[in-house]
Amino acid sequence: MIGTARSAKGQITRGHVELGSYPDGPVLSPVLIAQGEKDGPTLWLQACIHGPEVVGPLSIQRFLRTVDLKQLSGRVVCLMLANPLGFRGYNRLTPQDGYNLNRVFPGDPNGHLSYQLAHRLLDLSLTHSDAMLDLHSGGDLTITCHYTLFHNNGTPEGLESERMARATGSPNIWNSLEEGLSGCHFTHYTKGGKPSLIVESGGGARVTPEDLDRLTLAIFNVCKARGMLPGEPVVPARFRLGGDAIHHKATHGGLFIPKVAPGDDVVKGQHLADIVDLFGDVVETVHCPVDKAWVGSIRRPHMPIYNGDQVFELVGTKGYDPA
Ligand SMILES: [Zn+2]
C-alpha cells in the first residue's frame, strides 16, 4: 500500500500518494503498482523529479500498457510525479523555493519545501523497494544525450547499480562520484544500501519517438536484469565511459547557436558554439575547455540566453569498454 494504491497479484492498481501540502490541501502524485503473477523484488520507477521531463511518465505509461503481468515477478511501483510542484509549473526547479529538488537529497524533514519533499521521497522509495530507476530527459531548456548515471563506490549496491546501467541499452555510462551530484536521489538511495540509476534521453521541449523508445526499453531491460522479467537485455557491443563533468556557462547574452550535438565526442579547443547578439554579431565563441569529452547536454538551440546560463554539459571521456 502506497498512499491510496494497494497492490494486487496480476493487476495494475492506481491511486495517489501525498508528498507535501499546498496552502489548500495535499500535494499528490499519481502512483501505479504493477504486480506480477509471481513473487519477486520491487522496482521503484520514478519520473518528473524535474517538472518538464515528460518523456518519463509517457514511457512508464507505455511500459504499463505492454508489460505481461503473467511473466512479471514482483512489483513495479510507478511514481509518476516525483515533483508535482515543478510539474504544474513546467519548471525544472520547485517554483515555490527555487531549489533543484534533485540536488537537495537526503533532504530535511524540517527544511525548506524541497528539502522536506526530498526527505519524503527518499523515505518512501527506500521503504517500498529494492532498486530504483529514475527517468530523466532534458525537459524544456536542454537536450540530453542518451546516458545512464549511477553511484558505484565499490559496495555491492554500487556494483549492482553499474550492472543495471550496462543493461539499460544506453551506450554511455557515467559513474558519478562527483560532488556536484552528491545531492541526487539516486546517490542517496544507493548510499542507503540499494542499487539505483538515472536514465536520460532527449528534451528540448519535445518528445521524440527515439526518446520514448529508449526510456521504455530501459524499463524493460532493468526488469530483465533484476530477474523480474524473462530474457536477457540486448545491450550495446561497446560502452563509452564518462565522469568528472563540467557545466560550461555563457559569459554573454544572445542567441545560442551550437556547432555540436548531444553525444558528440569533442576535444580541447574545438569550436562548440557561437552566441550571437540581436545585431547579428558573434559576441562569444565557445571552445571545448577539456582534453577529451562527450557532450552530455546542450542548451536548446537558438534559445535566448543570459550570461551565466549553462550552455553545455561536457562529460569527461574515461575510455571505452571494451577498449
Ligand atoms: Zn532531470
Side-chain angles (χ1 to χ4, degrees):
M1 188 105 196
I2 296 176
T4 59
R6 180 187 293 277
S7 70
K9 203 168 217 173
Q11 290 183 41
I12 296 172
T13 51
R14 59 172 77 175
H16 287 89
V17 61
E18 190 171 335
L19 299 176
S21 35
Y22 292 108
D24 56 343
V27 173
L28 299 173
S29 169
V31 61
L32 297 100
I33 309 171
Q35 185 176 349
E37 298 275 1
K38 305 168 204 168
D39 292 335
T42 299
L43 176 68
W44 185 270
L45 191 54
Q46 168 178 297
C48 285
I49 199 165
H50 295 133
E53 298 179 3
V54 295
V55 188
L58 291 168
S59 50
I60 294 174
Q61 291 168 7
R62 208 162 166 205
F63 166 76
L64 291 172
R65 283 196 208 105
T66 47
V67 66
D68 181 357
L69 297 176
K70 290 189 179 62
Q71 299 285 326
L72 181 69
S73 302
R75 295 183 182 89
V76 182
V77 176
C78 307
L79 184 72
M80 302 304 263
L81 302 176
N83 190 347
L85 303 139
F87 178 77
R88 287 193 175 188
Y90 200 64
N91 195 327
R92 176 175 169 79
L93 310 176
T94 305
Q96 287 78 2
D97 60 16
Y99 284 106
N100 179 342
L101 176 58
N102 207 28
R103 298 292 181 277
V104 301
F105 282 80
D108 179 348
N110 300 306
H112 288 287
L113 176 59
S114 293
Y115 281 74
Q116 293 193 26
L117 178 52
H119 177 81
R120 172 84 170 134
L121 287 169
L122 186 61
D123 180 55
L124 270 176
S125 56
L126 278 170
T127 302
H128 288 284
S129 63
D130 308 297
M132 180 176 83
L133 174 56
D134 188 12
L135 302 174
H136 287 247
S137 68
D140 54 340
L141 299 179
T142 62
I143 303 177
T144 304
C145 155
H146 184 205
Y147 68 72
T148 62
L149 194 51
F150 52 91
H151 185 77
N152 181 3
N153 51 0
T155 59
E157 53 275 14
L159 291 163
E160 174 63 7
S161 299
E162 178 158 354
R163 194 184 71 83
M164 286 160 58
R166 286 169 179 259
T168 57
S170 169
N172 302 305
I173 60 171
W174 174 359
N175 180 18
S176 169
L177 303 169
E178 287 134 293
E179 189 54 38
L181 296 169
S182 61
C184 290
H185 191 174
F186 77 90
T187 309
H188 285 275
Y189 187 97
T190 302
K191 285 181 174 172
K194 296 176 180 182
S196 66
L197 71 159
I198 275 178
V199 180
E200 292 265 7
S201 186
R206 77 221 198 288
V207 175
T208 68
E210 292 75 22
D211 299 325
L212 262 181
D213 285 348
R214 287 165 172 172
L215 293 200
T216 309
L217 180 67
I219 301 169
F220 277 101
N221 276 350
V222 167
C223 286
K224 288 177 182 174
R226 296 285 293 164
M228 298 172 70
L229 284 172
E232 290 294 318
V234 177
V235 299
R238 194 178 192 219
F239 293 100
R240 183 169 55 174
L241 315 180
D244 298 325
I246 63 154
H247 296 94
H248 189 84
K249 293 171 184 66
T251 56
H252 293 76
L255 299 169
F256 176 63
I257 317 286
K259 305 292 180 187
V260 292
D264 283 0
D265 286 306
V266 293
V267 293
K268 190 164 190 137
Q270 186 173 337
H271 183 190
L272 301 183
D274 289 331
I275 295 165
V276 176
D277 71 8
L278 274 295
F279 296 105
D281 295 329
V282 174
V283 291
E284 182 173 347
T285 304
V286 181
H287 293 102
C288 179
V290 292
D291 281 344
K292 279 180 78 177
W294 40 276
V295 179
S297 72
I298 63 169
R299 173 66 50 149
R300 194 168 95 208
H302 311 114
M303 251 190 96
I305 55 165
Y306 294 78
N307 65 302
D309 279 350
Q310 178 182 315
V311 288
F312 284 103
E313 175 184 71
L314 300 172
V315 186
T317 305
K318 302 293 177 185
Y320 294 83
D321 184 21

